[in-house]
Amino acid sequence: MESRFDAFYSSAIDHHSISGTSLVITFLGDYLCHSGGGIWMGSLIKFMESLSFNQRFVRSSVFRLKQDGWLDVKKQGRKSYYFMTPERFDEVRAANRKIYSVESASWNGKWNLVHIPSSTLLDAKVHGKTLSRLGFGVLDKGVYIQADQGQLDAMDIDAINQAFPNAHVFQHADMAGLTQRDMQSFIYTTWELQRIQDDYQAFCQMFNPVWQQLKDMPTEELNPEDCFKLRLLLIHFYRRIIIKDPLLPGELLPEDWPGGVAQSLAMNLYKKIHLSARNYVTEYGETIVGPVPLPASDYYARFGGLTAS
């Protein structure tokens, strides 16, 4: 059956690089993180085929995720059910807190630093990628910096020390001597903000036409399959950006920073379509215990609060 969004789907899939493994993780994290976490391979194939990804694409993606420690499999008869491993489940839950949060922490003007001695340039790139998940940027070889918004707690420090046993963590440090212009250059270089800014702008250009079509449409006229596909693509593309965004305080960002506009767009679209999309997955998805269960209560806290019915 034709959809008013067919051109959008084709453009999103044909003109943007979509990783199969990343798309499967998006699906599991967005739809199943609060609903048991597992899915039958046949259901996963059906859902992905709705976006024109074939069975081979899905099976090879799931195989790679299993090889990389993302997924476990449980068999029941001839059926295979896939679940995120406990370690990866925790990682996805942490990412979800960043994706769906609408709260912004205040900045005390201080900085946190991590020093990892004897780091090579290659080490610095690997360490920087790990620490970037906590909002750190690369200050220099072996030195990483984070705007102190009260987010670096004892659990994070323990995780840093476990990952890098020789690391030194400094908290609540001052920075002096930078003009506002110098600070802007420092921020953009340290966190590679230009690429994130460009990605946010492209995201808004991609999804704003969808929102314009949907915003005034009565809920009962929403097509559940379209809602499923739109929600999956929405979170897939938004997730790719926001997990790289250090979420710096507003005082450090330019006035025209597009992150807030992108967040509002994602939030509005998600709130509009989440329920029809959720019902679609509940109706057509199968888990090892039967139909996909309704999500737990904390699911409804996403984006500041979702309707349950």
Side-chain angles (χ1 to χ4, degrees):
M1 185 173 65
E2 290 187 359
S3 163
R4 71 179 68 198
F5 298 108
D6 282 344
F8 171 78
Y9 300 142
S10 296
S11 175
I13 293 166
D14 294 342
H15 300 108
H16 298 271
S17 176
I18 294 184
S19 158
T21 54
S22 181
L23 191 64
V24 170
I25 292 302
T26 298
F27 171 78
L28 294 173
D30 185 47
Y31 281 103
L32 299 179
C33 212
H34 296 277
S35 300
I39 193 75
W40 172 45
M41 172 65 87
S43 296
L44 186 59
I45 290 171
K46 173 183 171 58
F47 291 139
M48 296 301 167
E49 282 182 337
S50 72
L51 281 166
S52 302
F53 295 109
N54 61 33
Q55 182 175 151
R56 181 178 180 182
F57 174 90
V58 179
R59 290 188 182 277
S60 63
S61 300
V62 169
F63 175 79
R64 289 197 301 273
L65 287 168
K66 188 173 183 300
Q67 291 293 104
D68 292 342
W70 275 92
L71 298 178
D72 281 332
V73 61
K74 294 182 181 179
K75 292 187 177 292
Q76 193 171 84
R78 299 179 64 182
K79 291 184 174 181
S80 297
Y81 298 85
Y82 288 87
F83 299 79
M84 284 180 282
T85 60
E87 298 80 9
R88 298 301 192 178
F89 184 83
D90 289 342
E91 189 175 325
V92 168
R93 287 293 294 265
N96 280 359
R97 286 192 290 273
K98 191 173 184 180
I99 293 167
Y100 305 110
S101 174
V102 294
E103 298 177 359
S104 56
S106 60
W107 183 44
N108 59 14
K110 306 288 187 178
W111 304 85
N112 300 320
L113 296 110
V114 173
H115 175 226
I116 303 176
S118 305
S119 294
T120 65
L121 288 175
L122 180 59
D123 288 338
K125 181 176 286 190
V126 174
H127 298 165
K129 185 175 181 180
T130 300
L131 290 168
S132 69
R133 297 169 187 161
L134 297 175
F136 282 89
V138 180
L139 183 61
D140 201 349
K141 186 177 70 173
V143 182
Y144 310 89
I145 188 168
Q146 175 197 60
D148 183 2
Q149 300 176 83
Q151 73 276 50
L152 192 66
D153 57 21
M155 188 176 297
D156 289 334
I157 294 173
D158 285 344
I160 291 170
N161 288 328
Q162 287 180 18
F164 313 110
N166 61 337
H168 306 123
V169 180
F170 304 88
Q171 292 182 271
H172 318 310
D174 287 309
M175 183 185 298
L178 284 184
T179 65
Q180 185 173 359
R181 184 174 179 179
D182 290 339
M183 177 63 78
Q184 187 99 137
S185 176
F186 166 74
I187 292 298
Y188 266 75
T189 301
T190 303
W191 281 275
E192 298 183 348
L193 286 194
Q194 187 61 57
R195 182 168 60 181
I196 297 173
Q197 177 174 306
D198 293 344
D199 287 344
Y200 273 134
Q201 290 171 340
F203 172 85
C204 292
Q205 291 169 3
M206 181 179 182
F207 282 96
N208 189 57
V210 176
W211 172 239
Q212 295 307 314
Q213 291 188 65
L214 285 176
K215 65 179 182 179
D216 296 322
M217 188 181 295
T219 303
E220 60 271 15
E221 293 182 16
L222 297 175
N223 178 279
E225 184 175 322
D226 275 331
C227 289
F228 162 75
K229 293 189 285 187
L230 291 171
R231 176 175 146 178
L232 180 62
L233 292 174
L234 174 75
I235 294 303
H236 179 70
F237 285 105
Y238 186 61
R239 170 180 168 266
R240 294 201 307 188
I241 308 168
I242 197 164
I243 60 174
K244 297 175 183 177
D245 187 346
L247 300 180
L248 295 170
E251 300 96 313
L252 298 175
L253 296 170
E255 291 184 2
D256 60 349
W257 178 250
V261 176
Q263 183 188 65
S264 294
L265 177 58
M267 178 180 66
N268 290 335
L269 258 173
Y270 198 90
K271 287 187 172 186
K272 183 76 175 184
I273 63 180
H274 93 92
L275 191 58
S276 292
R278 186 206 71 184
N279 292 342
Y280 181 82
V281 170
T282 300
E283 181 175 358
Y284 293 104
E286 180 183 331
T287 73
I288 200 167
V289 294
V292 174
L294 293 177
S297 59
D298 52 349
Y299 161 84
Y300 298 98
R302 290 179 175 183
F303 286 122
L306 303 174
T307 55
S309 60

